[in-house]
Structure formats: structure tokens, C-alpha cells
Amino acid sequence: MPLSFDNSYTRLPDRFYVRVRPKAVPQPAWLVVNEPLGELLGLSPEELRSPELLDTLAGNRILPGSEPIALAYAGHQFGGFVPRLGDGRALLLGEVIGKDGKRRDVQLKGSGPTPFSRGGDGRAALGPVLREFLVSEAMHTLGVPTTRALAAVLTGELVYREQPLPGAVLTRVAASHLRIGTVEYFAYQRDREALALLVEHALARHYPERVGAEEPALALLDGVMEAQAALVARWLGLGFVHGVMNTDNCSLSGETLDYGPCAFLDAYDPGRTFSSIDHYGRYAFGNQPRILLWNLARLAEALLPLLDGDDKSKIGTLEARLERFPSLFEQAYGAVLREKLGLLQEQPGDLDLARALLDQMARDRVDYTLAFRRLTRLAESQEDTLSELFSNQELIHTWLTSWRQRLAAEPTSAEERSQRMRRANPAYIPRNHRVEEALAAAAQGDLAPFERLRSVLAHPWDDHPEHVELALPPGEEQWRYRTFCGT
Ligand code: AMP
Ligand code: MG
């Protein structure tokens, strides 16, 4: 049997999910498979590429032990509450304990309609499926907690969006698919029993060290708050803009979830949004920590019925918990920025030093990834290719002087610093224009640009001289011109 399932979620009461079969598709065909992830789940390369698994991952076959379910959840979308969302185009096939002993969900996304589809077709198109595959795996490589992608398959069917597009199914692998919206679903229904079971399940699964806490609901809030603060700090370190941080896309495990409209900054700009539906910049790059806190406040509200005491004291308790967020986040973000600057020891003033550089980058719209990579080179070789990115040479040189003084204040070896800086400052990220290019080619049946990007992103810290154009920002020529004009 290629995958051995052990399903804990179906042991929860019926109201947590609906049992649904995937809808069969006419002509399954492989697009991409992820061998290392397959291996982790106990699949040999042969099993992974078997016709049996292709049928399974297209939704045409149910493996023994698999109990497909659509999960129930609610969510705040762009600030407005929707009491019933749920898996409208995804099905959890079951849970698999990996070779590392960790339990993971194996989910099909794009597997057909469910009772949660609300008029949608339950399907996914090739482009978004490949985008999630590429970006989630790149994030994983870059050390960001995230759902992963085991495979993408074509269905042989067209899906109708603005135009007809090839249909595809993604196999997503996640620590779980529990979200803040799952808690909200039961809170809205005043189902205290389900809430308590959910908290117990989530703690056992994601925060086992907190099982047995006096107040399990508070223990879960703390766990999610810490994990999500660390996650969003990592996003900021890479210039990642999630794009749709609704509470139904905010996982309880602290993994990045849902790669719909995500993007990466090129020019550094905290106000940058990419999503065409984010009209007010709610989910802008620099707003992500604030939105996370807003989401955590919704989680706290949803957990309130589980606390003891009168309403006033419960609210006081939850507020006191949430007040920890700013310092928690600053701690996590500070750690990320220190790594980017090559600072291994924590000293007061480090965040200010980092912010002074970011301010200059914002003023000149300097490419975020390129600038930190050039800073890394400067630390390694004294070769200054960084200053030329800035319009005010005096300002950047003054900053570099303080940075060098700060580096000199710790005993780190050049070798160690270089290694840590490279890790924190990849040469390659999934640049939006390169991802778009790869997806456009894939839609025409040419997977070569996708595979090229994927192979470079599997080693994002190396220089890959033969792929150097994949490291460059879009419109390098115009943008350089503008920068030089200022100097
Ligand atoms: P998302 O924007 O992907 O986070 O999805 C929000 C909600 O819309 C979830 O309940 C999804 O299951 C549902 N949804 C998104 N696309 C579709 C689709 N094509 N068919 C059915 N439901 C969908
Ligand atoms: Mg979603």
C-alpha cells in the first residue's frame, strides 16, 4: 500500500467535516512530483510515480485507509465574518505519519465540489496549482514553515475562469489544515463541546508541550501567537506578501497556508500590495504583523466561551495575553533582521540599525533581495556593489560605517558570518515576473522554465552564474537608470 493512513480528524464528531468523494476526472497526467517529500511520507520513487498514485492524486481512486473529508470552517475575509466557508474545492484524503515521526495531512486541492462549494466548481486551474507548488516548496527550502506540495496533476478537463484553462489538482501536505476559522466556526455556533475538543486536538497535534495546561484555550492562543509571530517575521525577512491573510488562511500550526495571490517584494516598499482585490492595502507587506494581531484577536474571541469566570474577567485575561504580541513579534523580527545584517549577538540598537537601512531602501525603492545579497558580498569580500543602489551616497556610507563598527563589536569569524548571512539572504527567490513567465509557458505545455526555476530555487543561496538573470529584479535597466539619475 503506497500511503499508510492514520486519520485522527475523522475520529472527531461528525460536525467537524463532511465525508465526500473526489469527483473523477477524464484523463489524469503527471505535471510535477516531489520525490524528497514522497520519501518522507514513506513513498519510494517508483510508488510515487505509479499509475495507482496518479489515479489517487487525480481523485479517481481511493486508497485503502483513506477517508476523504471536506473540513468545516468559518472565517473573517477582508474583515467581514463568513460563518460557513469550509473546503469548497479541497478534500483531506487522510493523515500520514512520516519517517520523521510527524503526522501530516494529505489533501487534494481542486478535487471537485463539496457541500461547502457555494456555487463554485470545486476545481483548480493549472497556473495557481503550479504557483503553489513552486512557491510553497521554495519557502520550505528557505526555512519558512509552510504547507508543502507532493504533486501536481492535470485532469484532462478545462476549468472556466475568465477564459477556459487546463484543470489541475495539487496534493498539499500540511501539519494540519486547522485554522483560526475552524475555531470561529464552532464559536459562532455556540458549540462549546466542539470548541473544547478542537482545542484539545490542536494542542496535542501542534503544541504537545502545552498539553495539560490549566487553561487549554489560553495555551492554544499562546502557542498560535508565538508560532505565527515567528512565521510573519520570516515572511518579512524574505519580502513575502501573503496577500490574503483572512482568518481562514491563518493556520493554527504556524505554517504558511494558501498561496493564492502571494508575491515577493522587488523594490522595498512597506505599503506594497500585489493582490488586485486588496483595494485598501489591508494585506500590504508592512501591515502583515498588524493583521496577524487582528487575526489573533479573533482567535481569542472565539476561545472566550472556554474560559472560566465572568465576561469582564475573561476579556481581561485574553487582552493581557494579546498584549504580549508586540514584544514577541519584535523579538522574532529582530532575530530575522540580525541574521540579515550578519549580527550573531543581540545588542540594543540593532533594530534601529536595520531600520535605518530599510528606510534608505524604501526611499530609493531598492530591490530588497538584491540589496541584502550585496550586503552579504560586502561582508565577505569588501567589494561594495551595494552603495550604487542608493541615491544618497553620503547616507549609505554613513550607514555602512555604523554597520562595520557594529560587526567589529562581536567575535564572529568571517566564515561563520558569511554562512549565516547567505542563509538569511538568498540570491534567488521566486520573483513574481519569473513565476508568471514559467506559468505562462506551462499553460502552453512547456514545463522547461518551471523546472529551471524549481531547480534553482532548490539551492537558493548559491550563485548559479548560468541562471543569473533569474536573480535580477524586473526591468533592471529602467530601474538602474532611475537610481543613477539620483546620484
Ligand atoms: P480561498 O480564497 O482559496 O482561501 O477560499 C475561500 C473559500 O472559497 C474556501 O471556502 C474555498 O474552499 C472556497 N473556494 C475557492 N475557490 C473555489 C472553487 N473553485 N470552488 C469551490 N469553492 C471554492
Ligand atoms: Mg483559503
Side-chain angles (χ1 to χ4, degrees):
M1 199 186 308
L3 279 172
S4 96
F5 291 99
D6 176 58
N7 307 325
S8 64
Y9 212 70
T10 52
R11 298 198 277 269
L12 289 167
D14 286 351
R15 53 201 196 278
F16 280 72
Y17 51 83
V18 182
R19 293 183 190 266
V20 190
R21 296 230 145 199
K23 184 160 178 254
V25 303
Q27 210 170 41
W30 291 115
L31 276 165
V32 214
V33 294
N34 185 340
E35 281 190 9
L37 181 56
E39 192 89 32
L40 189 60
L41 298 178
L43 290 168
S44 69
E46 298 71 44
E47 284 171 326
L48 181 56
R49 289 172 189 280
S50 65
E52 187 185 8
L53 206 70
L54 173 61
D55 275 349
T56 304
L57 303 186
N60 286 3
R61 174 199 286 255
I62 306 295
L63 291 176
S66 166
E67 303 172 276
I69 51 174
L71 274 52
Y73 56 86
H76 277 86
Q77 300 193 309
F78 289 90
F81 185 63
V82 186
R84 187 183 148 99
L85 286 165
D87 287 333
R89 56 160 161 179
L91 288 176
L92 178 59
L93 294 183
E95 298 155 35
V96 173
I97 309 215
K99 284 190 171 159
D100 56 357
K102 290 188 183 151
R103 176 183 296 276
R104 291 184 182 82
D105 278 6
V106 178
Q107 189 207 56
L108 299 186
K109 187 170 174 186
S111 47
T114 78
F116 301 108
S117 296
R118 294 173 298 150
D121 60 3
R123 291 298 186 195
L126 170 75
V129 163
L130 288 180
R131 172 196 296 275
E132 175 156 348
F133 193 111
L134 189 74
V135 181
S136 66
E137 284 302 308
M139 293 279 273
H140 171 73
T141 304
L142 289 164
V144 184
T146 176
T147 65
R148 300 193 58 191
L150 178 64
V153 301
L154 280 169
T155 61
E157 234 173 32
L158 291 175
V159 297
Y160 296 88
R161 300 293 181 255
E162 268 136 39
Q163 75 243 42
L165 297 165
V169 180
L170 179 77
T171 305
R172 178 154 75 183
V173 174
S176 83
H177 284 86
L178 300 176
R179 315 126 194 276
I180 290 181
T182 318
V183 186
E184 291 179 292
Y185 179 79
F186 293 114
Y188 178 79
Q189 298 182 24
R190 301 182 187 277
D191 187 343
R192 201 167 170 277
E193 185 201 349
L195 268 181
L197 285 171
L198 177 61
V199 167
E200 193 185 318
H201 179 91
L203 278 179
R205 209 158 159 182
H206 302 307
Y207 306 101
E209 70 287 358
R210 294 175 199 262
V211 168
E214 206 173 310
E215 291 266 30
L218 292 179
L220 182 65
L221 180 62
D222 285 343
V224 176
M225 183 155 76
E226 286 166 29
Q228 283 282 344
L231 177 69
V232 172
R234 293 229 169 224
W235 290 356
L236 298 196
L238 288 171
F240 180 76
V241 185
H242 182 283
V244 58
M245 284 178 74
N246 295 331
T247 56
D248 53 301
N249 292 331
C250 193
S251 69
L252 296 185
S253 69
E255 286 183 340
T256 311
L257 172 66
D258 202 324
Y259 285 85
C262 70
F264 286 83
L265 289 185
D266 28 74
Y268 182 73
D269 171 8
R272 186 79 165 94
T273 52
F274 293 88
S275 165
S276 57
I277 54 169
D278 190 359
H279 302 297
Y280 303 103
R282 180 179 172 89
Y283 299 140
F285 175 74
N287 215 30
Q288 296 181 112
R290 227 167 304 155
I291 285 295
L292 171 57
L293 177 57
W294 192 90
N295 288 348
L296 290 167
R298 303 293 78 75
L299 174 61
E301 279 166 10
L303 290 168
L304 185 135
L306 292 177
L307 300 185
D308 289 328
D310 58 64
D311 272 1
K312 198 169 165 227
S313 79
K314 290 197 239 187
I315 291 170
T317 305
L318 290 168
E319 279 177 353
R321 281 323 224 255
L322 292 171
E323 274 164 21
R324 291 173 56 227
F325 180 81
S327 68
L328 258 177
F329 183 76
E330 187 150 309
Q331 189 67 31
Y333 188 44
V336 165
L337 288 175
R338 267 197 306 281
E339 293 269 326
K340 291 187 81 65
L341 294 183
L343 306 173
L344 273 64
Q345 297 171 348
E346 185 173 345
Q347 283 191 20
D350 288 347
L351 257 172
D352 291 339
L353 181 69
R355 287 199 171 114
L357 178 64
L358 292 174
D359 285 348
Q360 288 192 52
M361 288 173 56
R363 179 172 335 160
D364 288 336
R365 307 258 155 161
V366 170
D367 184 83
Y368 187 62
T369 303
L370 195 64
F372 277 103
R373 190 66 179 182
R374 290 187 177 190
L375 185 72
T376 307
R377 193 178 309 158
L378 184 53
E380 286 171 342
S381 68
Q382 305 300 318
E383 184 197 348
D384 182 6
T385 50
L386 178 73
S387 306
E388 69 183 46
L389 301 175
F390 293 85
S391 60
N392 187 326
Q393 293 298 294
E394 198 183 321
L395 264 184
I396 188 63
H397 286 135
T398 306
W399 186 86
L400 285 172
T401 304
S402 358
W403 174 64
R404 287 199 183 93
Q405 278 166 1
R406 174 63 186 80
L407 291 187
E410 49 181 69
T412 316
S413 74
E415 177 65 31
E416 189 183 0
R417 170 167 297 137
S418 155
Q419 270 187 19
R420 307 265 300 239
M421 281 187 86
R422 278 178 173 252
R423 285 252 139 195
N425 300 313
Y428 294 88
I429 54 159
R431 288 190 176 273
N432 312 321
H433 63 299
R434 295 300 181 187
V435 174
E436 289 309 323
E437 215 170 74
L439 301 188
Q444 302 300 314
D446 176 11
L447 276 170
F450 177 89
E451 288 299 351
R452 179 182 178 214
L453 203 48
R454 187 181 167 214
S455 73
V456 171
L457 289 169
H459 306 278
W461 304 285
D462 300 344
D463 287 319
H464 305 284
E466 71 281 22
H467 297 301
V468 77
E469 69 272 20
L470 298 182
L472 295 177
E476 170 87 335
E477 300 320 315
Q478 299 90 320
W479 163 84
R480 260 175 181 269
Y481 176 71
R482 187 154 54 85
T483 307
F484 285 140
C485 265
T487 53

